[in-house]
Amino acid sequence: MSTYIQLLNNLKKLDLSKMAEMLPAYMDDAVTAEKSATDIIKELTDAEINFREERARQINLTISHFPFQKTLDDFDFSYQPSINKSQILDLASLRFIEANENILFIGSSGVGKTHLAVSIGMECASNHYSTYFIHFNDLMSRFKAAAKEGRIESIVKHYAKYKILIIDEIGYLPIDKDSANGFFQLVATRYEKRPTILTTNQPLSRWGDVFGDYTLANAIIDRLVHHSQIVKITGQSYRIKGKQLYDDSEQTT
């Protein structure tokens, strides 16, 4: 068996699949370019490392449960001038993680809250932070079901473990007392330990209606905003961007 075949077999046994895949064509190019053995090995190992890092990134993005994958490059900041772009870019630098800061996106439906939350979350997952995205109503449903079985603590423990937890769309539907109490326990458990990113269509002053208890809502808000960055978005929905809302013959007041 030739040394070259032995090398290929060794690479496969060591699970260096990208190096094994690239080796045949790369050796031809390397001979032509008269590269040293050191250069060849360095470039092949670079390719293997990049391959593994990209594979790990894709796995992290998948298990983070994002509803879609959009980056900040896809966001039209010019359409939402109320947003401080520099602040968003700073959040995407992930400095907020080491500071254990929460992020609250507040604004009406369609203004880009979820897009921004997902984009920042994707940065977190791509940099190997355990990240999970969940809709608020889905989380409340899990708390409600757990309450019937006496498993609230297990749900709190499960969602408290993620370094970054993204909770989307707080405020669209009122919730029951058990679910509200479960959410408070989750927020209290993560408080000053792990950042939480939230989006809501309701001003914080109306969270008492959402949770059915103003005292409980204030306790939740107090823990969320103590170490936080709040992004308030005022503007039109992206869903009506470029669309004519009224016929020319219609009169509006």
Side-chain angles (χ1 to χ4, degrees):
M1 183 181 297
S2 72
T3 303
Y4 175 75
I5 296 301
Q6 289 178 334
L7 173 58
L8 275 178
N9 290 338
N10 287 346
L11 292 175
K12 292 174 182 177
K13 287 180 181 179
L14 292 170
D15 196 26
L16 299 172
S17 56
K18 181 55 63 173
M19 289 181 66
E21 176 189 327
M22 294 180 63
L23 184 63
Y26 196 87
M27 289 297 293
D28 291 338
D29 293 339
V31 169
T32 303
E34 297 183 350
K35 292 184 179 180
S36 68
T38 303
D39 288 338
I40 293 172
I41 295 172
K42 170 64 166 57
E43 292 180 19
L44 283 172
T45 53
D46 284 344
E48 181 70 33
I49 290 171
N50 291 337
F51 168 73
R52 292 191 175 202
E53 288 182 346
E54 178 58 22
R55 182 175 61 184
R57 189 181 80 87
Q58 290 299 328
I59 291 173
N60 288 339
L61 291 175
T62 299
I63 64 178
S64 294
H65 203 246
F66 295 117
F68 51 79
Q69 292 190 13
K70 291 184 179 180
T71 69
L72 292 181
D73 290 337
D74 302 314
F75 193 86
D76 186 358
F77 286 95
S78 66
Y79 190 73
Q80 299 295 7
S82 67
I83 298 176
N84 183 339
K85 184 177 179 179
S86 296
Q87 180 186 17
I88 302 302
L89 294 178
D90 181 63
L91 292 173
S93 76
L94 308 186
R95 289 197 309 120
F96 75 94
I97 296 177
E98 298 308 314
N100 284 320
E101 290 183 320
N102 299 318
I103 305 173
L104 283 73
F105 292 104
I106 304 174
S108 57
S109 177
V111 295
K113 304 184 301 296
T114 302
H115 183 153
L116 292 174
V118 166
S119 296
I120 294 170
M122 285 179 59
E123 283 293 321
C124 297
S126 296
N127 283 275
H128 310 296
Y129 290 104
S130 61
T131 306
Y132 195 80
F133 178 103
I134 187 169
H135 288 282
F136 180 70
N137 289 342
D138 291 339
L139 179 61
M140 294 304 98
S141 294
R142 295 181 189 185
F143 273 127
K144 186 174 183 178
K148 295 178 181 179
E149 302 172 1
R151 296 189 303 105
I152 288 286
E153 289 186 5
S154 66
I155 299 297
V156 170
K157 184 177 180 179
H158 174 76
Y159 290 107
K161 70 181 181 182
Y162 293 103
K163 184 63 176 178
I164 311 296
L165 180 63
I166 304 172
I167 304 173
D168 190 41
E169 297 184 343
I170 295 177
Y172 280 90
L173 295 172
I175 60 175
D176 62 90
K177 183 177 180 180
D178 287 334
S179 300
N181 286 330
F183 185 72
F184 167 75
Q185 291 180 45
L186 176 60
V187 170
T189 301
R190 295 183 62 83
Y191 177 59
E192 294 189 322
K193 296 183 180 71
R194 295 178 176 86
T196 304
I197 302 174
L198 304 100
T199 76
T200 179
N201 69 330
Q202 295 289 343
L204 299 181
S205 60
R206 296 191 57 185
W207 276 25
D209 296 330
V210 175
F211 291 98
D213 184 325
Y214 273 85
T215 300
L216 181 64
N218 286 337
I220 292 171
I221 293 169
D222 182 61
R223 286 161 177 77
L224 288 176
V225 305
H226 182 210
H227 301 292
S228 70
Q229 294 202 43
I230 298 176
V231 181
K232 294 183 179 179
I233 308 174
T234 57
Q236 288 190 321
S237 168
Y238 281 96
R239 299 185 184 100
I240 64 173
K241 182 181 179 183
K243 295 183 179 179
Q244 186 172 345
L245 299 183
Y246 303 97
D247 293 334
D248 292 338
S249 59
E250 288 183 323
Q251 298 294 320
T252 61
T253 59

